[in-house]
Amino acid sequence: MLDGTSPWRLHLIKNAALILTSIFFLPLSTSVLVSSYVLSFFFVANDVSRKRRHIRSSPTFEPQAILVTGVGMTKGLVLARLFYEAGHDVIGADFEPNGVPACGRYSKSLHRFYGLPKPTADDGSVPYINALLRAVKREKVDLWVSCSGVASAVEDGQAKEVIERRSSCRAIQFDVATTSMLHEKDTFIQETQRLGLHVPETHHVTSRDAVHKVLHQTKRRSYIMKSVGVDDAVRGNMTLLPRRTVSQTYDHVSQLPISSKNPWVLQQFIKGKEYCTHSLIIEGNVKMFVACPSAELLMHYEALPPDSALSRAMLAFTTEFVERSGKNMNGHLSFDFLVDENVTEKGAELVLNPIECNPRAHTAVALFSGQASDVAKAYLSLLRSVTINGNGHASDTADKQVVFPEEPAKYYWIGHDLITLIVLPLLHLLMGRIRLGEWMQGCADFTNHVVFWKDGTFEIWDPLPWWCLYHIYWPRHFLASILQRRRWSRINAVAAGSQQRSPQHAPYPPTTASLGGVPTVSTDVPISAVFLFLFICGAVAHMTILQMNRRRGHKFIMSGMMFGFCMARITTCVMRIVWATRPTHIPIAIAAQIFVAAGVVLLFVINLIFAQRIIRAAHPHAGWHPLFTHFFTAIYIVIVISLVMIITANVQSFYTLNSNTKRIDRAIILYGGTFYAIVSFLPFPLVLGGLIIPRKTRVEKFGTGRFRSKIAILLTATFLLCLGAAFRIGTNYKTPRPVNDPPEYYSKACFYIFNLTVEILVVILYVAVRVDMRFHVPDGSSGPGHYTGKQALEMKTNTVVENTIGRVMSEEEVFDDAGEHEEHLEREKTDATERVEPSKLFKAQNLGLSVDSRTRQEITQIQIKMRFPENLLPKTKIVLHGVQGFVIFLAWAITIAIFTKPGFTDGRIKYFFALCWFCIPLLIYQAAVPQFDRTKRFSNAYAHAAIDALLAIFWFAAFISVATWTNHGIKNGVDKDKNKGCDAFLWGDGDSRGSKCRLSQATIGMGVVILSVLLSSIPAQTRATT
């Protein structure tokens, strides 16, 4: 048999030969397909359809919507057919990797089929669970029957918890904890021992030395080794240990990939036959049970008689295991047993040795074919008061009657037998490895199976899945193996595909949801790329300012700190993009989360430095007091210590499963978040307190610009950073939710708005207002008067305002801006008594009456006074553009929220989103260029007016586009008989419909506001132009 180490050319020949075999038998298979349809049209299919119509015509029958996943596998297909025969509506779902259609999708028994995204190392399980949830809600599923494969057993446990929490559907599936415990060989043995049931001797080993230690201590027993995870490459290796010599034992063990990340179990070898079971557990009761002989690769199924001693013993073990577990378990439970025969004085005694447990449906469920009513009743007993058949009998969850197969057929798979009994033995015969009699015996066995046994996939009334399995599904898989140069040693024809799942090891994936969740390529990569560009621009701007100041001897280290912050955020965006491409790579996730938490600390420190300088300027003696200085020093030290604690706790939480350690880590993270929220808020009380407390000296002016402007800039930045910090810590204090069921406040929109958006706004703000000029202080400042000089301080000290304590200071005294008022307008030169009433003058002029020169002069003067003050036009326009920019920012944030909601979004929403970005440079030109002497030459009044008019047209088209998209979604909504308005929104999914519709309506309102502000700014610009 070829394995992963065999030459590629041999694998190429193998895949090509199997494809040619499928093509060779295609005419014969097609003949069988056509013959089946002809026969079923007159006989079998009509009988099945007649029974189904009879059941559904009963007035007491209530058909249920049943979702069966895994219909590409025999077990899922068999259950779908049984539910269909029992009269219910069956929805099928399965993985379709590489675009290869699952054979079950073509089954006549399915009302509808859904393709599911397969949980992978790159995408995780969230897309898979969301797809299941969408199917459940869209089809109004009452019962979900999970027929998962090995690779998605735990993921189905996660999906069960989400689906039952967010819908009325019930699931035949164990929860995550139970599935994980039963799935792994070592934890299942430990649980069985805890329940007081017999198990063979088992050792959990994580190194080759541990294997040799066990073999050395127990020399009289033989053992076999099994990987804890599922690894088809070593699944069939049943070498007994120890081998005949020590060197052979060491050679064999050295070839096994044993490590702490890939643990194995060393299990006592028991000489006996192997059996397997399949059981359905509902509310802790066994509802269905079958036992059959097993093998290392089980491809032939034959049920044990229900009344046989072995069958009764295995049923008793299953019942005891479920009862002692003490849980209302719902799901499929399959055990593998080795039966050891001990000879005693009373005779032979059979001992059951459970060696493995599969917490999922077993292919042995095919042995229940022909018992549609009993099977449906057993499964639907999970639902309350559900009529199972037309006789009006309702299900009873307390019913403990067990369903056994009645006269079951023996099952085989013709494709497997053709290769293993005919083709391969023929090759061995030609090479002289076997005799002719052995090949003839294989032919006889194959003939016996074809004539007397039943194919596991074939049904005469539903033959298309069987045909597609051998002539579409498998050939395309073999072709993909050739194209991808993928080696394989065995493929399970029963499960229609081999699946592997690696065991978890440290670092462990998170189990609780976090802000932003796991990034995805479609959503997070483009958004992170935009922020990456913005932070690169911020880093370039601050570094340029730093170098320019350094060349002219202007020291301002905060520009360097801002550059460092931008570089940290650049790394954050890069790590998030990398994480999106490798979502299950835990070290990358750890690094990305650390950079998100650590970077903003630099902005907190910068704001504290600015606040300290404002306090020292307003209250020099208090601000330079050693206690006040030590207070800030202590805060900086605690910030660094807290940062180290948060990083350590974050990293440690990924490397432990201990609940107490995780509790401590969470407490540390909550402490750090709370402390940083307080630090982000601290400039507010410091600055406002400094303004409220009366001063005894004039403000020590430092840097450029007005003192009140410095305060406004600092408080604006503080508000933005405090908003983000408060949101983060507020959501962290909420009860943790599962990683696959995050709350709305952990959405991606919230992550980008309250993290990167508020931070880039601060970065842009500090560049635009040139904090390096406004907050600069002389080098070497270390005491009162150093900001303005000692002499100036003494002069101000002599002008102390008397009686300042105990009274409220005026605005000019608070900000120390006296002397900066604008001059008053000149009084009128004409006496009021000699003035003519303006209304009469205007009336005479409008009527064309003659008016003397003095009257015309008075009219001109009155018109000038009635004009809008020209010096206020630029300020009014700046205010209008500021309002417009703020509303555009809100609209941009809401549009991001729309993109993060599941469902369809077309070019109309994308146009609205792109227009928000397009307006940024235009608004900067409109508002900033006319304000600075160096840039005024680029300002043109007609250009400003034209830009306003152009933007008005664009925004009119934007909000109309979103309005048409929203109206179409509401008008053509789903479930309009039950839901109205946004609750029936077409472009959404489940609970997200209403929120997505309301967000789009909010963007419409924002567009109207933006358009109104633009239309208001056009007259102001026109007035300024004329």
Side-chain angles (χ1 to χ4, degrees):
M1 179 182 293
L2 301 182
D3 56 23
T5 62
S6 302
W8 163 244
R9 65 178 182 276
L10 297 180
H11 284 275
L12 176 62
I13 295 173
K14 175 181 66 176
N15 287 305
L18 290 171
I19 294 175
L20 292 175
T21 303
S22 174
I23 297 174
F24 178 80
F25 285 99
L26 178 61
L28 178 60
S29 301
T30 306
S31 301
V32 174
L33 177 69
V34 174
S35 301
S36 299
Y37 275 122
V38 172
L39 291 174
S40 63
F41 180 79
F42 293 102
F43 302 103
V44 181
N46 284 340
D47 186 52
V48 172
S49 301
R50 190 184 307 110
K51 290 181 179 179
R52 176 178 168 83
R53 286 195 300 269
H54 174 71
I55 294 173
R56 293 176 69 91
S57 63
S58 173
T60 58
F61 178 77
E62 297 180 7
Q64 304 298 312
I66 303 176
L67 172 64
V68 180
T69 53
V71 293
M73 298 178 281
T74 298
K75 52 189 176 182
L77 181 60
V78 167
L79 286 175
R81 287 168 171 169
L82 289 173
F83 292 133
Y84 173 82
E85 293 181 64
H88 300 285
D89 297 324
V90 185
I91 299 94
D94 205 346
F95 307 127
E96 294 186 318
N98 301 319
V100 181
C103 63
R105 71 154 42 234
Y106 303 106
S107 175
K108 182 181 178 180
S109 61
L110 298 186
H111 174 68
R112 187 171 285 110
F113 177 85
Y114 288 88
L116 301 175
K118 187 176 181 179
T120 63
D122 293 332
D123 299 329
S125 61
V126 175
Y128 167 64
I129 295 174
N130 288 338
L132 273 178
L133 184 61
R134 284 195 297 269
V136 167
K137 291 186 175 182
R138 185 171 300 172
E139 301 295 337
K140 298 181 176 62
V141 173
D142 300 299
L143 182 68
W144 169 38
V145 179
S146 169
C147 294
S148 61
V150 178
S152 60
V154 176
E155 287 77 3
D156 279 356
Q158 297 171 345
K160 169 222 171 54
E161 298 179 358
V162 174
I163 288 174
E164 291 192 339
R165 184 185 301 113
R166 300 178 63 176
S167 71
S168 60
C169 176
R170 298 299 302 275
I172 304 294
Q173 170 65 44
F174 299 124
D175 56 27
V176 176
T178 304
T179 303
S180 300
M181 180 269 295
L182 298 175
H183 181 71
E184 307 294 353
K185 299 177 180 65
D186 54 342
T187 54
F188 161 67
I189 293 296
Q190 294 171 6
E191 175 68 10
T192 307
Q193 287 179 322
R194 188 188 69 82
L195 297 178
L197 299 174
H198 173 74
V199 294
E201 180 185 344
T202 305
H203 301 274
H204 183 270
V205 292
T206 57
S207 66
R208 295 178 179 87
D209 291 339
V211 175
H212 296 303
K213 183 177 180 181
V214 173
L215 296 178
H216 179 73
Q217 291 175 348
T218 55
K219 295 182 179 180
R220 295 185 178 180
R221 292 179 179 174
S222 297
Y223 297 87
I224 58 173
M225 292 195 65
K226 300 179 182 180
S227 176
V228 171
V230 177
D231 188 352
D232 284 340
V234 296
R235 184 177 179 181
N237 192 334
M238 294 295 173
T239 303
L240 292 181
L241 298 176
R243 303 191 70 181
R244 288 190 300 175
T245 64
V246 175
S247 61
Q248 290 178 341
T249 301
Y250 272 84
D251 289 341
H252 177 77
V253 175
S254 64
Q255 298 175 6
L256 301 178
I258 307 172
S259 66
S260 58
K261 297 181 179 181
N262 186 25
W264 286 54
V265 292
L266 192 64
Q267 198 169 68
Q268 176 188 355
F269 174 72
I270 299 172
K271 296 180 181 180
K273 294 183 179 180
E274 185 175 354
Y275 294 87
C276 64
T277 66
H278 167 80
S279 56
L280 172 66
I281 311 299
I282 300 294
E283 299 293 340
N285 297 314
V286 179
K287 292 293 185 176
M288 293 170 53
F289 182 84
V290 64
C292 59
S294 183
E296 181 267 322
L297 182 61
L298 185 58
M299 296 301 300
H300 301 113
Y301 286 82
E302 183 178 1
L304 290 177
D307 55 352
S308 66
L310 275 177
S311 179
R312 292 198 306 269
M314 295 178 200
L315 174 60
F317 178 91
T318 303
T319 304
E320 193 74 14
F321 184 93
V322 173
E323 291 179 351
R324 294 189 185 185
S325 295
K327 304 175 183 177
N328 289 331
M329 304 170 68
N330 296 310
H332 298 112
L333 193 61
S334 303
F335 292 109
D336 288 345
F337 294 96
L338 281 174
V339 179
D340 189 15
E341 184 176 350
N342 295 331
V343 180
T344 63
E345 295 180 355
K346 298 181 180 180
E349 181 183 32
L350 300 180
V351 179
L352 293 180
N353 294 278
I355 56 174
E356 287 186 22
C357 177
N358 298 310
R360 53 188 177 273
H362 197 285
T363 310
V365 73
L367 296 168
F368 288 93
S369 292
Q371 298 175 249
S373 177
D374 293 338
V375 170
K377 179 179 179 180
Y379 276 91
L380 292 176
S381 63
L382 179 61
L383 305 178
R384 305 295 182 181
S385 302
V386 177
T387 301
I388 303 303
N389 52 41
N391 297 326
H393 298 298
S395 65
D396 181 9
T397 57
D399 182 12
K400 296 187 178 181
Q401 183 178 359
V402 181
V403 178
F404 295 98
E406 297 177 358
E407 300 180 358
K410 299 177 181 180
Y411 282 85
Y412 79 110
W413 281 263
I414 191 171
H416 172 267
D417 281 13
L418 177 66
I419 299 298
T420 58
L421 298 180
I422 303 294
V423 177
L424 288 180
L426 179 60
L427 294 176
H428 293 164
L429 175 64
L430 297 176
M431 291 186 292
R433 296 182 180 178
I434 63 173
R435 298 179 180 179
L436 179 61
E438 296 178 84
W439 182 74
M440 293 296 294
Q441 180 61 45
C443 294
D445 293 338
F446 178 78
T447 304
N448 179 60
H449 292 169
V450 172
V451 175
F452 298 105
W453 289 34
K454 182 174 173 35
D455 186 272
T457 309
F458 181 82
E459 282 287 353
I460 193 170
W461 60 272
D462 188 24
L464 189 56
W466 170 83
W467 187 90
C468 293
L469 176 65
Y470 294 113
H471 299 292
I472 295 180
Y473 185 86
W474 285 124
R476 292 188 61 173
H477 265 293
F478 298 141
L479 180 61
S481 298
I482 294 175
L483 297 177
Q484 300 172 11
R485 298 181 65 88
R486 187 174 61 238
R487 294 175 169 87
W488 55 270
S489 60
R490 63 173 69 192
I491 297 181
N492 191 348
V494 176
S498 61
Q499 299 175 320
Q500 298 182 8
R501 181 175 183 271
S502 301
Q504 291 186 356
H505 53 77
Y508 303 99
T511 57
T512 57
S514 59
L515 182 60
V518 178
T520 58
V521 174
S522 59
T523 301
D524 293 79
V525 169
I527 297 177
S528 297
V530 171
F531 280 108
L532 177 63
F533 171 76
L534 294 177
F535 281 112
I536 289 176
C537 295
V540 171
H542 282 285
M543 178 52 68
T544 302
I545 292 174
L546 178 66
Q547 294 301 323
M548 291 172 55
N549 290 332
R550 184 184 62 83
R551 284 194 293 268
R552 63 188 183 91
H554 185 87
K555 182 180 178 181
F556 193 76
I557 62 173
M558 273 64 74
S559 292
M561 296 174 66
M562 290 296 300
F563 171 77
F565 166 74
C566 290
M567 293 303 297
R569 278 296 175 256
I570 290 171
T571 307
T572 300
C573 294
V574 171
M575 294 303 299
R576 195 157 180 85
I577 292 173
V578 175
W579 187 13
T581 59
R582 304 185 66 185
T584 58
H585 196 285
I586 308 303
I588 293 177
I590 296 173
Q593 293 190 12
I594 288 176
F595 277 103
V596 169
V600 73
V601 174
L602 287 173
L603 292 183
F604 296 159
V605 173
I606 291 172
N607 279 2
L608 286 177
I609 294 174
F610 290 166
Q612 188 180 28
R613 292 185 176 183
I614 289 177
I615 296 298
R616 285 175 172 174
H619 300 276
H621 293 285
W624 287 104
H625 195 278
L627 289 179
F628 194 73
T629 302
H630 294 332
F631 168 73
F632 276 88
T633 304
I635 289 179
Y636 299 146
I637 294 174
V638 177
I639 286 176
V640 175
I641 295 175
S642 300
L643 181 60
V644 174
M645 293 172 61
I646 291 175
I647 293 175
T648 303
N650 263 308
V651 174
Q652 181 176 256
S653 64
F654 286 92
Y655 282 86
T656 182
L657 295 176
N658 186 280
S659 58
N660 186 56
T661 305
K662 283 185 171 291
R663 180 186 59 81
I664 296 173
D665 292 338
R666 173 174 164 78
I668 293 174
I669 293 172
L670 289 177
Y671 150 74
T674 305
F675 174 72
Y676 283 145
I678 295 173
V679 169
S680 69
F681 179 76
L682 202 55
F684 273 118
L686 289 175
V687 173
L688 296 179
L691 296 177
I692 294 173
I693 298 174
R695 295 191 306 271
K696 296 183 179 181
T697 63
R698 296 288 298 274
V699 172
E700 291 189 15
K701 296 299 180 66
F702 64 93
T704 61
R706 304 175 70 181
F707 189 61
R708 65 174 67 190
S709 299
K710 295 180 177 66
I711 295 174
I713 291 168
L714 175 60
L715 295 185
T716 300
T718 300
F719 169 77
L720 291 173
L721 295 180
C722 184
L723 177 66
F727 180 84
R728 290 190 295 270
I729 188 59
T731 55
N732 281 345
Y733 271 107
K734 300 286 287 185
T735 302
R737 294 274 290 273
V739 67
N740 295 307
D741 186 25
E744 288 292 330
Y745 50 80
Y746 275 171
S747 66
K748 297 182 186 300
C750 293
F751 172 82
Y752 287 108
I753 291 174
F754 292 102
N755 278 302
L756 302 185
T757 300
V758 296
E759 293 166 2
I760 195 62
L761 289 177
V762 174
V763 171
I764 296 173
L765 173 67
Y766 281 173
V767 172
V769 301
R770 291 299 299 274
V771 292
D772 60 302
M773 304 297 293
R774 293 180 181 272
F775 287 90
H776 178 263
V777 298
D779 294 344
S781 299
S782 59
H786 287 191
Y787 284 180
T788 58
K790 292 287 185 180
Q791 187 176 1
L793 177 64
E794 293 175 0
M795 293 176 60
K796 293 179 182 178
T797 306
N798 294 331
T799 60
V800 177
V801 182
E802 297 179 358
N803 301 324
T804 56
I805 302 178
R807 70 182 180 86
V808 179
M809 297 186 294
S810 66
E811 180 185 5
E812 302 302 330
E813 290 174 318
V814 170
F815 295 104
D816 200 22
D817 286 333
E820 298 180 6
H821 297 294
E822 299 179 357
E823 295 182 358
H824 295 287
L825 300 175
E826 295 182 1
R827 296 182 179 181
E828 294 185 34
K829 296 181 179 180
T830 307
D831 186 73
T833 59
E834 297 180 358
R835 246 191 280 165
V836 183
E837 294 183 15
S839 60
K840 295 180 179 180
L841 291 173
F842 293 140
K843 183 176 181 180
Q845 189 179 36
N846 293 332
L847 292 175
L849 301 178
S850 60
V851 181
D852 57 15
S853 59
R854 181 179 178 182
T855 304
R856 288 193 186 96
Q857 185 178 3
E858 291 180 359
I859 292 174
T860 303
Q861 291 178 354
I862 293 173
Q863 288 175 339
I864 293 174
K865 292 177 181 179
M866 293 178 65
R867 287 180 182 176
F868 189 81
E870 293 184 3
N871 63 327
L872 294 181
L873 285 174
K875 295 182 179 180
T876 302
K877 190 165 175 58
I878 291 176
V879 171
L880 290 175
H881 284 309
V883 172
Q884 182 185 357
F886 177 72
V887 178
I888 287 176
F889 164 73
L890 293 179
W892 172 78
I894 294 175
T895 310
I896 292 179
I898 293 176
F899 283 133
T900 60
K901 298 292 183 182
F904 174 74
T905 53
D906 64 4
R908 288 170 283 188
I909 298 295
K910 296 175 183 177
Y911 167 73
F912 192 98
F913 181 73
L915 186 58
C916 294
W917 287 103
F918 178 72
C919 286
I920 293 176
L922 298 180
L923 287 180
I924 293 175
Y925 175 80
Q926 294 286 82
V929 169
Q931 303 304 314
F932 302 99
D933 294 334
R934 292 184 178 181
T935 59
K936 281 183 178 179
R937 66 178 182 272
F938 301 108
S939 179
N940 183 281
Y942 295 102
H944 288 293
I947 291 175
D948 283 337
L950 185 65
L951 286 179
I953 296 173
F954 285 165
W955 277 106
F956 176 78
F959 90 81
I960 290 296
S961 298
V962 178
T964 57
W965 179 78
T966 306
N967 182 65
H968 181 75
I970 296 176
K971 185 177 179 180
N972 299 278
V974 297
D975 300 332
K976 296 187 69 175
D977 54 335
K978 297 182 179 179
N979 302 318
K980 296 182 179 179
C982 284
D983 293 331
F985 194 55
L986 178 63
W987 314 125
D989 177 27
D991 297 337
S992 69
R993 287 175 184 158
S995 59
K996 189 166 187 174
C997 174
R998 295 181 184 93
L999 287 173
S1000 64
Q1001 290 176 336
T1003 59
I1004 298 172
M1006 296 292 181
V1008 174
V1009 173
I1010 295 169
L1011 178 62
S1012 302
V1013 175
L1014 277 169
L1015 295 176
S1016 302
S1017 65
I1018 292 177
Q1021 182 62 55
T1022 306
R1023 191 71 177 227
T1025 304
T1026 56

